[in-house]
């Protein structure tokens, strides 16, 4: 049996929280050491660069919630410039510079920030850390499934709670679904709906959840919404982990950068499995690119506006065709085809070399479409007229 690369105290802690020795081997899989885990879970999103959703040969790729274009210009310049100093592990203090940029933008202390290569690792890691066979996970339905898949893989109970009529998380129903959960996962804006859960609801959940549990707020798409974020809750030392990625508006999915904001004791707990190795040794071009991008407020707002215009064009077109599109605040929207399964529509779009997103089991006739560039959305609309008329 595989042994966990952690000190005996951490192993003892895991065993005392109800994990069996067999489940410890599965935790090895979560940290990327187990090919078996990857195969069983279908999509090992902690290695999510290059997902199965991606269709490299499609003319228009609006299926995987990637950005339509690459990193912001200052990020590209910073990444290119630092390559010449790549002989040094850390030519200056690039990790520190990155954390300082986060402090400046988010208003959190240095001690409350931990960078990661993307957010899939800390997402799965938080399930390992705060859930167990005796303390489950609660998520919305539909939502980004990685946390739920990790819980199932580890044998932690999973409760999936339908979104409210306005497509926000039903935090009261989530607490009622498992009043003793280890982790409550809130994705805002939510993937796949693009909808926001009000900060007041998140505050309510934090105030009413059981002792010892955590609230994980995944804000992967927040810059596309441009709304106030939950980082102040991390700065205030609440039982919360706020998670970000550079894979979305920053156009860095393949460069693997993200970070969490949380109390230092929560960060330390999440680092116990590997001493935070992944957080400490990030590739210099990714760090430099992220640091220069994060503070480029005008360029971020410009990209958001570009997305809103392309999304507006597509939504207007869909409305004219009489299709039912759910409201959205982010770079994705959900179309309910009603009379046709989403899988059939995805296949129909493929015949036009357009890769749209998939559906979620709770809504089999609803497809998620990522907002691409204006030109891509025009091609999407043209293809829609062909495949919907057919
Ligand atoms: N969280 C959400 C809501 C996502 O949609 C994704 C990816 O699509 C991730 C986290 C993980 O992304 P990454 O590992 O690229 O940061």
């Amino acid at each position: 049996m595989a042994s966990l690369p952690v000190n005996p105290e951490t192993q003892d802690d895991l065993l005392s929280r109800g994990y069996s020795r067999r489940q410890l081997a599965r935790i090895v899989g979560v940290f990327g050491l187990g090919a078996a885990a990857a195969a069983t879970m279908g999509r090992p999103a902690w290695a999510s660069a290059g997902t199965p959703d991606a269709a490299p040969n499609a003319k228009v790729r609006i299926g995987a919630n990637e950005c339509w274009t690459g990193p912001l210009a200052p990020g590209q310049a910073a990444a290119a410039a630092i390559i010449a100093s790549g002989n040094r592990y850390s030519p200056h203090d690039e990790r520190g510079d990155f954390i300082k940029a986060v402090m400046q933008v988010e208003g959190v202390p240095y001690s409350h920030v931990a960078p990661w290569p993307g957010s899939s690792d800390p997402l799965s890691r938080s399930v390992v850390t705060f859930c167990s066979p005796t303390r489950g996970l609660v998520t919305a339905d539909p939502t980004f499934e990685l946390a739920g898949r990790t819980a199932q893989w580890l044998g932690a109970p999973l409760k999936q709670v339908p979104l409210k009529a306005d497509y926000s998380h039903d935090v009261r129903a989530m607490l009622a679904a498992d009043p003793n959960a280890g982790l409550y996962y809130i994705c805002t804006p939510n993937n796949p709906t693009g909808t926001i859960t009000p900060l007041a609801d998140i505050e309510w959940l934090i105030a009413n959840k059981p002792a010892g549990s955590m609230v994980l707020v995944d804000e992967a798409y927040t810059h596309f919404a441009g709304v106030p974020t939950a980082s102040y809750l991390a700065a205030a030392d609440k039982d919360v982990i706020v998670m970000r990625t550079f894979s979305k508006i920053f156009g860095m999915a393949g460069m693997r950068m993200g970070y969490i904001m949380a109390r230092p004791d929560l960060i330390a707990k999440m680092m116990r499995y590997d001493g935070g190795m992944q957080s400490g040794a990030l590739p210099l071009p990714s760090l430099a690119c992220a640091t220069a991008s994060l503070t480029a407020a005008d360029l971020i707002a410009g990209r958001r506006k570009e997305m809103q215009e392309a999304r507006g064009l597509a939504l207007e077109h869909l409305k004219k065709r009489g299709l039912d599109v759910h409201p959205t605040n982010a770079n994705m929207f959900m179309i309910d085809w009603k009379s046709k399964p989403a899988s059939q529509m995805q296949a129909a779009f493929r015949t036009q070399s357009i890769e749209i997103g998939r559906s979620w089991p709770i809504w089999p006739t609803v497809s998620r479409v990522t907002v691409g560039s204006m030109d891509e959305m025009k091609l999407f609309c043209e293809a829609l007229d062909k495949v919907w008329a057919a």
Side-chain angles (χ1 to χ4, degrees):
M1 187 186 75
S3 66
L4 196 62
V6 293
N7 58 39
E9 295 90 81
T10 302
Q11 275 204 39
D12 287 349
D13 173 64
L14 288 165
L15 293 169
S16 73
R17 283 164 49 213
Y19 283 110
S20 65
R21 291 210 165 267
R22 198 159 171 274
Q23 284 160 335
L24 293 195
R26 291 189 159 220
I27 291 173
V28 176
V30 170
F31 291 111
L33 303 173
T40 309
M41 293 178 65
R43 184 184 171 188
W46 44 84
S48 72
T51 67
D53 290 352
N57 300 320
K59 186 169 59 182
V60 175
R61 291 167 63 178
I62 48 175
N65 272 2
E66 294 155 329
C67 193
W68 61 92
T69 187
L72 297 171
Q76 293 199 22
I82 207 160
I83 288 175
S85 309
N87 55 312
R88 301 284 172 208
Y89 290 109
S90 182
H92 169 55
D93 174 21
E94 284 69 22
R95 188 176 183 276
D97 289 346
F98 171 75
I99 295 176
K100 285 178 198 150
V102 176
M103 289 168 69
Q104 184 190 326
V105 171
E106 309 280 0
V108 295
Y110 193 99
S111 56
H112 287 50
V113 182
W116 296 93
S119 59
S120 296
D121 176 311
L123 180 46
S124 290
R125 186 181 286 260
S126 59
V127 177
V128 173
T129 308
F130 302 109
C131 297
S132 68
T134 57
R135 296 202 73 172
L137 171 74
V138 184
T139 72
D141 191 12
T143 194
F144 186 55
E145 292 128 322
L146 177 58
R149 289 214 188 109
T150 307
Q152 285 172 320
W153 170 249
L154 297 173
L158 170 65
K159 289 281 188 314
Q160 295 167 283
V161 178
L163 296 169
K164 294 208 294 200
D166 65 359
Y167 303 104
S168 65
H169 287 51
D170 191 341
V171 290
R172 285 162 182 82
M174 287 176 78
L175 182 58
D178 186 348
N180 193 37
L183 191 66
Y184 298 86
Y185 173 65
I186 309 280
C187 186
T188 181
N190 187 42
N191 177 6
T193 53
T195 43
I196 306 281
T197 294
L199 288 168
D201 286 350
I202 296 172
E203 286 184 16
W204 180 90
L205 185 59
I206 293 171
N208 289 280
K209 63 164 193 57
S213 69
M214 292 297 145
V215 175
L216 174 60
V217 185
D218 182 346
E219 295 184 327
Y221 299 93
T222 191
H223 288 95
F224 281 122
V227 294
T229 83
S231 42
Y232 70 97
L233 295 168
D237 287 340
K238 302 285 182 198
D239 283 349
V240 70
I241 297 142
V242 180
M243 203 174 71
R244 298 288 180 79
T245 177
F246 287 84
S247 298
K248 306 305 173 185
I249 205 166
F250 294 106
M252 291 176 57
M255 293 180 75
R256 312 307 300 137
M257 267 302 291
Y259 60 98
I260 58 170
M261 293 172 279
R263 275 195 331 254
D265 64 297
L266 302 180
I267 293 176
K269 254 189 173 175
M270 289 173 69
M271 300 253 185
R272 284 179 309 175
Y273 310 97
D274 53 5
M277 204 172 61
Q278 297 239 43
S279 175
L282 289 154
L284 291 173
S286 301
L287 268 173
C289 186
T291 305
S293 300
L294 198 58
T295 46
D298 291 351
L299 296 178
I300 296 169
R303 201 169 261 196
R304 175 164 60 243
K305 188 157 172 284
E306 206 179 325
M307 183 283 291
Q308 285 166 342
E309 285 167 6
R311 184 180 67 191
L313 172 112
L315 296 187
E316 195 53 39
H317 189 84
L318 290 161
K319 201 166 128 195
K320 277 194 212 135
R321 297 291 173 271
L323 281 155
D324 179 6
V325 185
H326 298 178
T328 174
N329 287 292
N331 64 324
M332 65 195 105
F333 52 85
M334 303 292 276
I335 310 171
D336 192 346
W337 309 105
K338 296 199 192 282
S339 57
K340 288 187 183 158
S343 53
Q344 191 181 318
M345 291 307 294
Q346 190 181 41
F349 273 99
R350 271 188 195 137
T351 66
Q352 305 299 310
S353 198
I354 309 268
E355 187 67 17
I356 65 164
R358 63 192 172 93
S359 63
W360 268 245
I362 190 173
W363 295 337
T365 61
V366 183
S367 300
R368 185 193 70 191
V369 177
T370 305
V371 180
S373 66
M374 185 60 98
D375 285 347
E376 287 174 332
M377 296 326 276
K378 285 181 182 159
L379 289 168
F380 163 77
C381 293
E382 277 170 28
L384 175 97
D385 287 348
K386 288 191 195 141
V387 300
W388 190 238

